């Protein structure tokens, strides 16, 4: 099978260099790489050119439209049997394409997604953020999990679609704010087979600071409501969990300030959550520092997502504003 790897890029030349270095090492060689510069001011033209003798690589420059429509631009120019989408802040294990090729040969999927993990070279903050986004104690636990809740929706940092999907479903119809979830739901509704390839992991850097992480997760919370506007039935009880956690946390603070009796119960529940996250991260990462940072990352994730979710739920669902 011949793969077309499509990478939208916006002002991140150093990231694409590190990603391309990992693609050079792929053990499976039947692939091309399409890098699409989405209106960047800090472009990666020279960096991409330096890989011309190492990869079958093509470089395109277009006006800024966002990652969804930029991927569509790549789909239109790809020659592969299967299109693979990566975010520019990913590192790809050398056997990734071999795993995907073998998996599709054994169990065909029209579209697939894979999990993410923390690379040993990541900073403690990046490892803590990676933990939070994959932990069973946060909403990230439903991503890349064999026992995920409900229908599996591939995410665009690590996602593949067959050419047949592209020809029938087209590409992304929204360019950001939940565009990958909308696309996954639409593909599934057309009868295509979608699944997880659990071994096809990538190392996803995500954000390098807690402030950046907060902004990203706040946007993710708002994006869930954007998906709801397209598919109301896809708003599940689990999606309300970060908002409920945030409201309960606010209530706990108020209860302690006014010395309400119920504060004892609230504090006990909060203590259990903290201990679960800390010791689970400690076992997984074997680092007290990362376990402590994981607590911060997990609370940021839940609060930021919860606030973003409540903001747009109130605005777009209750008040029915656009």
């Amino acid at each position: 099978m011949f793969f077309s790897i499509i990478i939208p890029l916006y002002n991140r030349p150093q990231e694409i260099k590190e990603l391309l270095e990992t693609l050079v090492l792929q053990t499976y060689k039947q692939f091309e790489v399409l890098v699409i510069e989405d209106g960047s001011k800090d472009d990666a033209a020279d960096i991409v050119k330096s890989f011309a003798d190492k990869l079958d690589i093509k470089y395109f420059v277009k006006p800024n439209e966002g990652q969804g429509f930029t991927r569509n631009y790549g789909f239109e120019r790809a020659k592969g049997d299967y299109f693979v989408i990566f975010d520019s802040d990913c590192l790809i294990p050398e056997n990734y394409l071999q795993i995907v090729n073998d998996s599709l040969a054994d169990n065909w999927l029209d579209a697939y997604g894979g999990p993410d993990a923390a690379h040993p070279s990541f900073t403690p903050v990046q490892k803590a953020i990676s933990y939070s986004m994959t932990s069973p104690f946060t909403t990230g636990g439903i991503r890349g999990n064999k026992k995920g809740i409900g229908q599996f929706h591939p995410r665009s940092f690590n996602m593949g679609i067959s050419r047949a999907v592209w020809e029938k479903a087209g590409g992304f119809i929204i360019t950001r704010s939940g565009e990958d979830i909308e696309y996954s739901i639409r593909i599934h509704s057309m009868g295509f087979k979608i699944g997880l390839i659990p071994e096809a992991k990538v190392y996803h850097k995500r954000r390098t600071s807690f402030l950046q992480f907060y902004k990203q997760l706040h946007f993710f919370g708002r994006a869930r409501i954007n998906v709801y506007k397209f598919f109301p039935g896809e708003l599940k009880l689990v999606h309300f969990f970060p908002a409920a956690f945030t409201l309960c946390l606010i209530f706990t603070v108020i209860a302690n300030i006014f010395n309400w009796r119920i504060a004892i119960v609230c504090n006990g529940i909060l203590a259990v959550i903290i201990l679960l996250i800390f010791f689970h991260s400690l076992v997984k990462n074997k680092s007290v520092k990362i376990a402590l940072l994981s607590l911060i990352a997990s609370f940021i994730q839940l609060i930021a997502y919860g606030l973003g979710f409540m903001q747009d739920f109130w605005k777009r669902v209750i008040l029915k504003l656009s």
Side-chain angles (χ1 to χ4, degrees):
M1 184 181 299
F2 190 81
F3 294 97
S4 292
I5 297 175
I6 296 166
I7 309 166
L9 186 63
Y10 183 68
N11 290 330
R12 294 183 177 185
Q14 184 56 37
E15 282 187 353
I16 195 65
K17 181 176 185 294
E18 295 173 350
L19 171 53
L20 294 177
E21 286 172 346
T22 65
L23 293 180
V24 170
L25 301 176
Q26 289 298 301
T27 56
Y28 187 91
K29 301 295 185 181
Q30 299 302 307
F31 69 95
E32 64 174 351
V33 182
L34 290 79
V35 178
I36 304 99
E37 198 84 70
D38 185 31
S40 301
K41 293 181 179 179
D42 187 8
D43 67 62
D46 291 340
I47 289 174
V48 174
K49 185 178 179 180
S50 70
F51 285 87
D53 61 342
K54 304 172 187 175
L55 293 167
D56 178 1
I57 191 166
K58 300 174 181 66
Y59 179 70
F60 303 93
V61 178
K62 57 178 282 298
N64 180 260
E65 293 180 293
Q67 62 267 26
F69 294 163
T70 300
R71 296 183 193 112
N72 291 348
Y73 187 98
F75 293 159
E76 293 167 357
R77 290 156 179 79
K79 63 182 183 182
D81 308 301
Y82 218 99
F83 306 156
V84 179
I85 305 166
F86 294 135
D87 282 353
S88 62
D89 59 350
C90 289
L91 303 176
I92 316 303
E94 62 183 18
N95 60 347
Y96 177 93
L97 288 178
Q98 188 66 60
I99 288 172
V100 172
N101 186 72
D102 293 347
S103 179
L104 294 176
D106 292 339
N107 178 31
W108 176 258
L109 296 171
D110 299 295
Y112 77 87
D116 62 332
H119 192 270
S121 67
F122 287 5
T123 67
V125 169
Q126 286 176 309
K127 290 177 180 178
I129 289 173
S130 179
Y131 168 81
S132 176
M133 290 298 287
T134 57
S135 169
F137 303 112
T138 65
T139 54
I142 66 174
R143 300 164 68 123
N145 190 331
K146 290 181 181 180
K147 299 179 180 179
I149 300 171
Q151 185 187 108
F152 174 66
H153 298 148
R155 304 303 174 101
S156 54
F157 66 84
N158 181 11
M159 177 180 182
I161 65 168
S162 67
R163 177 172 287 278
V165 169
W166 157 248
E167 291 173 349
K168 182 176 180 180
F172 295 89
I173 61 173
I174 50 179
T175 194
R176 54 176 66 89
S177 191
E179 79 286 350
D180 49 358
I181 302 175
E182 185 283 326
Y183 195 34
S184 296
I185 297 170
R186 182 156 41 94
I187 292 170
H188 190 275
S189 70
M190 292 181 174
F192 288 109
K193 185 179 179 182
I194 303 175
L196 169 72
I197 303 180
E199 296 80 16
K201 68 179 179 181
V202 301
Y203 299 114
H204 196 189
K205 296 178 185 175
R206 300 192 183 277
R207 296 300 179 255
T208 57
S209 73
F210 285 138
L211 178 60
Q212 292 175 325
F213 186 51
Y214 176 89
K215 291 178 179 178
Q216 183 185 45
L217 268 294
H218 187 274
F219 184 78
F220 284 178
R222 298 181 59 202
R224 175 52 64 177
I225 301 302
N226 198 39
V227 172
Y228 163 80
K229 301 300 287 186
F230 287 91
F231 302 100
E234 290 297 324
L235 190 60
K236 308 296 185 182
L237 187 63
V238 67
H239 300 132
F240 288 84
F241 172 70
F245 174 85
T246 302
L247 291 173
C248 288
L249 189 62
I250 293 170
F251 178 81
T252 299
V253 172
I254 294 172
N256 278 281
I257 290 174
F258 291 98
N259 201 27
W260 295 342
R261 289 185 178 180
I262 198 171
I264 297 174
V265 177
C266 295
N267 292 339
I269 294 172
L270 187 61
V272 170
I273 294 172
I274 289 172
L275 289 172
L276 285 172
I277 293 172
F278 176 81
F279 283 107
H280 185 259
S281 178
L282 181 63
V283 171
K284 189 172 182 179
N285 293 292
K286 297 178 176 58
S287 166
V288 172
K289 181 178 181 179
I290 294 174
L292 290 171
L293 290 172
S294 294
L295 281 172
I296 299 172
S298 296
F299 273 65
I300 288 174
Q301 176 183 335
L302 291 168
I303 293 169
Y305 189 104
L307 291 175
F309 181 93
M310 287 188 287
Q311 172 187 313
D312 274 32
F313 186 87
W314 175 256
K315 176 182 176 182
R316 304 185 66 185
V317 179
I318 303 300
L319 299 181
K320 299 188 183 302
L321 300 176
S322 57

